Amino acid sequence: MSFINTKTKEVQVKVVFVGPGRGGKTTNLEYIFSRIRHRIQSDMVSIKTQGDRTLFFDFLPFELGAIKGYQVKTQLYTVPGQVKYNATRKLVLKGVDGIVFVADSAVDRRENNIRSFENLRENLGFYDIDLTTIPLVFQYNKRDLATQGIPILDVNTLESDLNAQLKAPSFTASALTGDNVIPTVKKAIAITMVATRDKLL
Amino acid sequence: MSYILDQEQLDGLEEALTTDLMTLGIQSVILIDMAGNVIVNLDNGKVSHDVYSLAALAAGNFGAVNAMASIIGEEEFSLLFHKGKSENINFTKILDDFLLVSIFGNDVSLGYLRLKIDDVIKKIKVLIDPKRLK
């Protein structure tokens, strides 16, 4: 639910990182926070279980700079990935403007990626949001696993599992090392801003 | 839903919240939407909260409470209140998509505050009538 404040010349947009549990969504936000913490006033907010899994959401607000005289305030959220937390996952998606789907590249996580993506489709449907129209970027995370000898899915397989019809922008990445994390979020914000501008201005 | 509020609407919201609530001596009042966006943020000049984090948590909290309401067969809990040692927080839903968050000390009567919130909500509903939103 993007909001344009014509008095303060401010645009607020909500971008949500979704994907299977333990796929690296929170690690993405932690890396982004580590890169921008010197220039933002807010802390990253995390609501976690005792076992350090995301229970409700992580939240990171930051200012992107100005576009056409409007200051862009981006609110980054993650959702809990575990199947059992669907009620809270659905709540965080309320008012979403853009999505980053963080897929796990490990071979044994393939089914989890597909199930999580189907769950996203269902949850967006609850808010009458169509996956084919909402700004969406795929991130194929944990590419660094290959260096540890852990088998990973090739990009063609991930694309065909998740992105065959949508043809959304996609990035291979390693949230742990920060590789391609910033380009992923930049792309997500850029296409979200284009959609917001088309809708509102 | 995406929406724009113009200068006249935002001025009207600020005026109503200042006149009806801030003059009671409350610490701060924040009007947010259910996506966690901050629409109006007013305070008494003595506090500096992280308003954007507060808004995200308030929207999530309210959403969670409403989900609980639905599980026990209630349509919604339209009003939510947390009491602290010296500061308290009151949440009131406005229309389907907005939430008024009032933070106030023990020197402010909750009953009177709720009465004033009822008054200000009538004004807010006129200003952010969905028919007026782009």
Side-chain angles (χ1 to χ4, degrees):
Chain A
M1 182 150 65
S2 47
F3 164 49
I4 296 188
N5 187 323
T6 53
K7 187 174 177 182
T8 56
K9 298 275 179 198
E10 193 179 280
V11 184
Q12 295 175 44
V13 295
K14 178 175 185 175
V15 175
V16 182
F17 284 65
V18 299
R22 295 174 182 262
K25 301 177 291 297
T26 299
T27 310
N28 263 275
L29 246 64
E30 285 170 344
Y31 180 79
I32 296 164
F33 183 50
S34 73
R35 290 285 304 271
I36 62 169
R37 68 186 312 162
H38 62 283
R39 64 180 179 90
I40 63 169
Q41 292 170 342
S42 300
D43 265 338
M44 182 171 150
V45 173
S46 290
I47 304 178
K48 293 179 174 180
T49 64
Q50 282 193 327
D52 227 22
R53 310 312 317 165
T54 303
L55 175 65
F56 201 157
F57 59 77
D58 307 299
F59 171 70
L60 179 60
F62 68 99
E63 287 189 24
L64 194 70
I67 295 178
K68 292 192 171 182
Y70 278 77
Q71 203 64 32
V72 180
K73 281 191 187 292
T74 308
Q75 334 257 32
L76 301 182
Y77 288 76
T78 68
V79 296
Q82 277 70 16
V83 173
K84 64 181 173 183
Y85 295 139
N86 196 47
T88 48
R89 185 159 49 241
K90 200 190 279 182
L91 284 176
V92 180
L93 286 169
K94 183 172 176 66
V96 61
D97 298 302
I99 287 173
V100 176
F101 186 90
V102 181
D104 192 326
S105 292
V107 166
D108 62 1
R109 309 294 284 177
R110 186 177 177 188
E111 280 304 314
N112 288 32
N113 291 332
I114 296 168
R115 274 206 299 271
S116 174
F117 193 63
E118 278 311 307
N119 177 253
L120 171 66
R121 191 191 303 275
E122 284 165 23
N123 284 341
L124 290 176
F126 179 80
Y127 295 115
D128 290 327
I129 299 171
D130 187 348
L131 249 183
T132 59
T133 54
I134 189 158
L136 170 70
V137 171
F138 286 95
Q139 182 190 72
Y140 304 135
N141 191 25
K142 301 196 186 180
R143 303 309 288 178
D144 52 296
L145 288 178
T147 62
Q148 300 162 37
I150 298 171
I152 60 171
L153 296 159
D154 63 66
V155 172
N156 285 341
T157 304
L158 285 158
E159 285 278 300
S160 117
D161 282 349
L162 305 167
N163 197 18
Q165 278 142 18
L166 295 170
K167 309 278 185 208
S170 62
F171 296 83
T172 55
S174 166
L176 206 56
T177 63
D179 183 39
N180 257 352
V181 168
I182 300 298
T184 305
V185 72
K186 274 189 176 169
K187 185 69 178 178
I189 293 169
I191 61 175
T192 302
M193 287 309 300
V194 169
T196 300
R197 187 192 60 200
D198 291 349
K199 266 192 279 184
L200 293 173
L201 297 178
Chain B
M1 186 179 111
S2 298
Y3 62 100
I4 302 175
L5 293 178
D6 63 27
Q7 176 98 26
E8 185 196 342
Q9 288 170 299
L10 290 158
D11 285 343
L13 290 169
E14 280 193 18
E15 192 190 329
L17 291 169
T18 301
T19 310
D20 287 352
L21 298 186
M22 290 308 296
T23 51
L24 297 180
I26 69 171
Q27 191 197 81
S28 58
V29 61
I30 310 161
L31 178 65
I32 67 173
D33 65 32
M34 292 297 186
N37 293 316
V38 177
I39 300 167
V40 177
N41 168 36
L42 300 173
D43 63 52
N44 61 6
K46 296 176 189 163
V47 291
S48 129
H49 296 307
D50 178 354
V51 174
Y52 288 91
S53 296
L54 191 59
L57 291 165
N61 185 34
F62 204 82
V65 168
N66 269 354
M68 284 191 275
S70 137
I71 287 171
I72 65 160
E74 276 293 321
E75 192 178 328
E76 64 174 19
F77 297 128
S78 59
L79 196 141
L80 188 63
F81 170 63
H82 296 309
K83 179 157 177 56
K85 257 186 190 166
S86 57
E87 301 298 335
N88 312 290
I89 188 161
N90 186 81
F91 305 85
T92 314
K93 187 180 177 186
I94 306 172
L95 302 169
D96 281 336
D97 284 306
F98 303 95
L99 191 62
L100 189 68
V101 183
S102 313
I103 302 167
F104 58 101
N106 292 331
D107 52 333
V108 176
S109 147
L110 176 61
Y112 190 51
L113 177 67
R114 282 186 182 164
L115 279 175
K116 297 298 283 183
I117 286 175
D118 284 347
D119 288 344
V120 82
I121 282 178
K122 285 176 199 148
K123 296 178 189 171
I124 292 173
K125 279 181 176 171
V126 174
L127 288 161
I128 57 174
D129 183 338
K131 289 176 214 140
R132 285 186 63 181
L133 296 182
K134 286 185 196 172

